[in-house]
């Protein structure tokens, strides 16, 4: 790649040794959502050199019969000629050169199409070139195993080990016109799109109401790849097409009308009049209620004990409250949909039924046709929920209040600080682990008494009889959860995809408690104490999230 080569040569010419070291002396590692980094030259950046042929060959004797799936979004960077499409073609070319059949989508697709295609086509694995909601400078590489779930340990470590063993690109690697000439390349687009839309019908319960609804829906894809696919999904559910936001409808690698394409930054991504922006946790409360309600009405004779819902451990505990009252099972996983996907696979293998799973950062999965978060199906399920409620003269906001009244109010707040200095992050977390004295976690946070501490980084959990965490240890990321005497649960963790220290806090009230103002006040005070006592932003030079 002449452009990335030139970047390195320029740095060398100008004696930029520190930057050369930063770019060349470390490699990317798998975070909560695959490999993610800025596009550009260097081993810790996303560029042409990313591969996993070696490891797959080692794992699957039938690799050359079953093949591999490759999908991509519309990200790109002119200065390093690093578009997702070009990286996808190179990924395909490397495998085609080794006589591996490749299912390469002929145009951009939403991420869930790749895990869905891996399962449907019985491929050994798949990769999606995307950095989903990250800033425009970034790109990424999401790897799915034959199960259709994102890879978890040990596969991630083993792939990186194989990359280390095989650093020299072989002849033919750069020959990306193989994707136009090789008979081993197939385009799965039409077939997968058709099957996916057909499978969507499994979670459509009120097609007749949808076709008659007076509600109008507006959809924006934030310059991403969603538009065409969401239009099709609405059609499958019997709706009129949603109205697109014209300025944000078409893919644009510059994301030119938004500061950042992350839907978690709701207010800065869209302009609102008097609109309510639901958080991921609030939407999950609605989805949980809806998916269970629809299941109950459509499966009158089925056993509720066989039903499961899942959430990541930093997400709202509202599903746990619903599960306790309704009699189904609720489980937690580590942060990241890769853990949810692989757990769902286990449960399905044991004959269980999983209705819904989510993470608070606006990742939802309704049904189990895909084993990763899926915004296309989530969008159309919300639309159906709204249409159904409309026939009963209830808004989504009113329904959310009903869910909280029935199962207990869950007030949560999630935010973050930016920290570009890894040693500072380590210091902050080590101080918590040795708070009063070496090896002693804090017993108070300001005026708030701490009941239990769980440290996923070290595997410690004071609430367990053997003091060991039930969730797997995750040594290379920081994550500590505090359960307070007043019923609040708060977590501090580092982001797996960006330079952030995130905090999550939630007050869970029992169904009788209705003084929401009091709960909110208590939550606010606790978060202030958490930030002041444990993160110490001014002392540590942390940048507050700008809203």
């Amino acid at each position: 790649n002449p452009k990335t080569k030139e970047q390195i040569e320029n740095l060398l010419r100008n004696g930029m040794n520190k930057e050369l070291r930063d770019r060349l002396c470390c490699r990317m590692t798998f975070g909560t959502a695959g490999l993610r980094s800025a596009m550009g030259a260097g081993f810790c950046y996303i560029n042409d050199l990313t591969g996993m042929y070696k490891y797959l060959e080692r794992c699957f004797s039938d690799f050359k019969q079953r093949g591999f799936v490759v999908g991509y979004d519309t990200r790109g960077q002119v200065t390093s000629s690093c578009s997702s499409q070009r990286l996808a073609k190179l990924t395909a070319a490397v495998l085609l050169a080794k006589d591996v059949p490749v299912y390469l989508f002929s145009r951009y697709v939403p991420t869930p199409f790749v895990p869905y295609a891996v399962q449907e086509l019985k491929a050994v694995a798949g990769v999606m070139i995307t950095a989903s909601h990250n800033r425009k400078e970034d790109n990424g590489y999401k790897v799915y195993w034959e199960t259709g779930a994102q890879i978890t340990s040990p596969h991630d470590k083993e792939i990186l080990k194989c990359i280390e063993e095989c650093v020299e690109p072989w002849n033919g690697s750069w020959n990306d016109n193989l994707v136009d000439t090789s008979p081993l390349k197939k385009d799965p687009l039409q077939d997968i799109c058709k099957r996916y839309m057909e499978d969507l019908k499994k979670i459509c319960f009120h097609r007749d109401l949808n076709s008659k609804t007076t509600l109008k829906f507006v959809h924006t894809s934030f310059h991403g790849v969603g538009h065409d696919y969401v239009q099709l999904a609405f059609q499958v559910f019997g709706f009129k097409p949603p109205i697109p936001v014209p300025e944000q409808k078409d893919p644009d690698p510059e994301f030119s009308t938004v500061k950042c394409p992350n839907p978690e930054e709701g207010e800065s991504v869209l302009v609102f009049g008097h609109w309510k922006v639901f958080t991921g946790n609030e939407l999950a409360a609605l989805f949980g209620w809806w998916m269970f309600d629809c299941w109950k009405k459509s499966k009158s004779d089925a056993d509720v004990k066989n039903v499961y819902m899942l959430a990541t451990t930093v997400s709202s505990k509202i599903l746990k409250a619903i599960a306790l009252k309704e009699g189904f099972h609720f489980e937690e996983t580590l942060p990241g949909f890769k853990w949810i996907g692989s757990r769902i696979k286990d449960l399905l293998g044991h004959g269980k039924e999983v209705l819904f799973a989510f993470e608070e950062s606006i990742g939802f999965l309704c049904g189990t046709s895909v084993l990763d978060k899926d915004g296309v199906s989530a969008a159309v399920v919300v639309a159906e929920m709204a249409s159904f409620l409309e026939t009963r003269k209830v808004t989504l906001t009113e329904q959310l209040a009903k869910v909280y009244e029935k199962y207990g109010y869950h007030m949560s707040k999630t935010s973050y600080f930016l920290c570009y200095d890894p040693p500072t992050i380590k210091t902050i977390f080590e101080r918590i682990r040795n708070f009063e004295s070496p090896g002693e976690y804090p017993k108070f946070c300001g005026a708030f008494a701490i009941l239990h501490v769980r440290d996923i980084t070290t595997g410690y959990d004071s609430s367990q009889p053997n003091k060991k965490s039930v969730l797997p240890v995750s040594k290379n990321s920081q994550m500590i959860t505090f359960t307070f005497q007043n019923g609040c649960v708060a977590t501090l963790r580092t982001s797996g995809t960006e330079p952030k220290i995130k905090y999550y806090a939630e007050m869970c009230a029992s169904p009788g408690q209705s003084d929401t103002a009091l709960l909110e006040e208590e939550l606010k005070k606790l978060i202030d104490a958490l930030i002041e006592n444990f993160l110490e932003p001014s002392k540590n030079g942390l940048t507050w999230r700008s809203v």
Side-chain angles (χ1 to χ4, degrees):
N1 179 337
K3 289 195 173 170
T4 45
K5 189 175 173 184
E6 188 188 347
Q7 285 174 23
I8 296 294
E9 285 171 347
N10 277 339
L11 291 171
L12 193 59
R13 241 196 322 276
N14 298 322
M16 311 282 278
N17 290 354
K18 185 191 178 308
E19 184 159 345
L20 279 169
R21 248 196 304 277
D22 289 349
R23 283 176 180 253
L24 297 170
C25 293
C26 66
R27 287 187 181 279
M28 290 180 286
T29 52
F30 281 89
T32 41
L35 301 172
R36 263 193 213 166
S37 186
M39 292 177 270
F43 296 121
C44 60
Y45 281 54
I46 291 279
N47 50 53
D48 303 19
L49 275 188
T50 319
M52 54 179 291
Y53 167 78
K54 266 276 187 291
Y55 184 59
L56 291 167
E57 183 191 40
R58 199 175 292 175
C59 291
F60 297 102
S61 56
D62 52 359
F63 187 18
K64 293 186 176 176
Q65 284 73 56
R66 289 166 62 190
F68 186 83
V69 176
V70 183
Y72 52 91
D73 66 11
T74 49
R75 284 176 172 265
Q77 187 181 66
V78 178
T79 49
S80 48
S81 58
C82 232
S83 72
S84 296
Q85 185 175 23
R86 180 164 177 275
L87 298 179
K89 283 183 166 182
L90 285 167
T91 303
V94 168
L95 298 174
L96 291 167
K98 293 282 186 187
D99 298 325
V100 175
V102 175
Y103 297 98
L104 172 67
F105 284 98
S106 55
R107 72 187 289 245
Y108 56 82
V109 288
T111 300
F113 273 36
V114 170
Y116 181 73
V118 169
Q119 284 198 86
E120 287 290 303
L121 304 169
K122 300 186 174 44
V124 298
V127 68
M128 174 72 191
I129 313 287
T130 182
S132 55
H133 59 256
N134 275 37
R135 56 196 198 126
K136 67 179 182 190
E137 290 79 7
D138 291 356
N139 214 329
Y141 192 88
K142 264 181 140 167
V143 181
Y144 297 90
W145 212 236
E146 60 177 337
T147 54
Q150 270 187 72
I151 57 165
T152 52
S153 180
H155 298 309
D156 46 8
K157 311 262 186 313
E158 292 300 322
I159 289 170
L160 294 174
K161 223 189 284 175
C162 283
I163 289 174
E164 299 262 319
E165 289 165 19
C166 179
V167 289
E168 194 71 17
W170 51 70
N171 291 338
S173 296
W174 301 95
N175 182 7
D176 61 359
N177 71 5
L178 268 179
V179 301
D180 305 315
T181 58
S182 169
L184 288 171
K185 190 219 74 174
K186 291 186 180 64
D187 171 17
L189 184 66
Q190 299 305 331
D191 178 33
I192 289 302
C193 197
K194 192 161 137 250
R195 292 197 215 184
Y196 174 90
M197 295 301 163
E198 193 54 40
D199 264 343
L200 265 188
K201 293 176 183 170
K202 293 178 187 164
I203 49 173
C204 177
F205 299 95
H206 300 281
R207 202 168 191 280
D208 49 332
L209 288 184
N210 300 343
S211 60
K212 296 193 200 74
T213 188
T214 55
L215 291 179
K216 289 187 181 140
F217 298 97
V218 174
H219 170 247
T220 172
S221 31
F222 290 162
H223 307 295
V225 302
H227 174 78
D228 297 342
Y229 303 97
V230 170
Q231 294 275 323
L232 283 171
F234 268 71
Q235 202 177 318
V236 168
F237 267 54
F239 286 108
K240 295 183 184 72
I243 303 156
V245 174
E247 301 83 346
Q248 299 181 335
K249 168 175 90 72
D250 296 321
D252 169 15
E254 289 301 313
F255 298 98
S256 48
T257 68
V258 297
K259 267 200 307 219
C260 161
N262 188 345
E264 290 173 78
E265 313 283 349
E267 293 81 352
S268 69
V269 182
L270 289 162
V271 181
F272 297 104
H274 300 285
W275 294 80
K276 165 151 179 73
V277 185
F278 289 95
T279 65
N281 284 332
E282 290 172 331
L283 281 171
L286 288 167
F287 274 124
W289 158 75
W290 175 253
M291 294 304 288
F292 184 71
D293 200 58
C294 292
W295 176 86
K296 218 166 44 183
K297 288 172 180 161
S298 66
K299 300 261 180 86
S300 49
D301 56 340
D303 180 9
V304 72
K305 290 269 173 280
N306 207 36
V307 168
Y308 281 73
M309 289 194 195
L310 291 86
T312 62
T313 184
V314 292
S315 302
S316 170
K317 312 284 180 247
I318 184 65
L319 296 185
K320 185 180 182 180
I322 299 176
L324 278 170
K325 200 156 181 161
E326 301 293 351
F328 63 87
H329 294 273
F330 168 73
E331 284 193 10
E332 282 192 341
T333 70
L334 287 177
F337 238 90
K338 59 184 183 183
W339 300 105
I340 287 183
S342 54
R343 182 63 187 137
I344 291 177
K345 193 73 192 164
D346 292 345
L347 289 168
L348 296 177
H350 287 98
K352 308 297 181 195
E353 191 171 358
V354 181
L355 301 184
F356 174 65
F358 88 104
E359 58 183 8
E360 58 71 41
S361 50
I362 319 190
F364 305 111
L365 174 55
C366 302
T368 51
S369 294
V370 178
L371 296 186
D372 197 11
K373 53 188 163 190
D374 182 354
V376 177
S377 56
V380 73
V381 170
V382 165
E384 178 167 89
M385 190 195 311
S387 308
F388 172 83
L389 289 169
E390 221 267 327
T391 62
R392 287 169 172 55
K393 302 281 178 280
V394 177
T395 66
L396 287 174
T397 307
E398 289 162 347
Q399 181 58 32
L400 180 63
K402 288 183 178 185
V403 172
Y404 284 151
E405 275 153 31
K406 183 170 180 184
Y407 301 108
Y409 275 88
H410 284 60
M411 305 272 169
S412 56
K413 169 113 171 76
T414 300
S415 195
Y416 61 83
F417 289 89
L418 290 165
C419 181
Y420 295 95
D421 182 48
T424 299
I425 293 178
K426 201 166 168 44
T427 305
I428 289 170
F429 282 89
E430 282 306 320
R431 176 173 164 269
I432 295 171
R433 293 186 180 108
N434 305 282
F435 201 73
E436 307 291 325
S437 56
E440 288 280 318
Y441 290 87
K443 306 213 171 20
F444 280 85
C445 175
F448 297 95
I450 294 170
L451 199 60
H452 292 300
V453 176
R454 181 187 65 192
D455 189 339
I456 292 290
T457 313
T458 62
Y460 170 78
D461 186 344
S462 67
S463 72
Q464 295 298 322
N466 63 359
K467 305 292 183 223
K468 284 187 165 47
S469 161
V470 179
L471 290 175
V473 182
S474 184
K475 284 197 197 66
N476 51 5
S477 59
Q478 301 283 355
M479 178 164 150
I480 302 177
T481 300
F482 307 92
T483 304
F484 291 89
Q485 209 108 43
N486 66 1
C488 181
V489 179
T491 295
L492 298 175
R493 70 177 275 260
T494 47
S495 164
T497 53
E498 296 159 295
K500 293 174 177 176
I501 300 176
K502 293 187 165 186
Y503 62 86
Y504 308 79
E506 181 171 52
M507 291 291 294
C508 306
S510 45
Q513 269 180 290
S514 58
D515 190 345
T516 54
L518 196 72
L519 288 171
E520 287 202 4
E521 183 57 26
E522 182 87 342
L523 181 64
K524 189 184 175 314
K525 284 183 186 157
L526 191 137
I527 288 171
D528 291 344
L530 195 72
I531 292 170
E532 208 36 59
N533 292 283
F534 294 166
L535 295 179
E536 305 179 299
S538 45
K539 181 183 134 189
N540 290 312
L542 306 179
T543 311
W544 290 73
R545 167 194 176 181
S546 60
V547 174

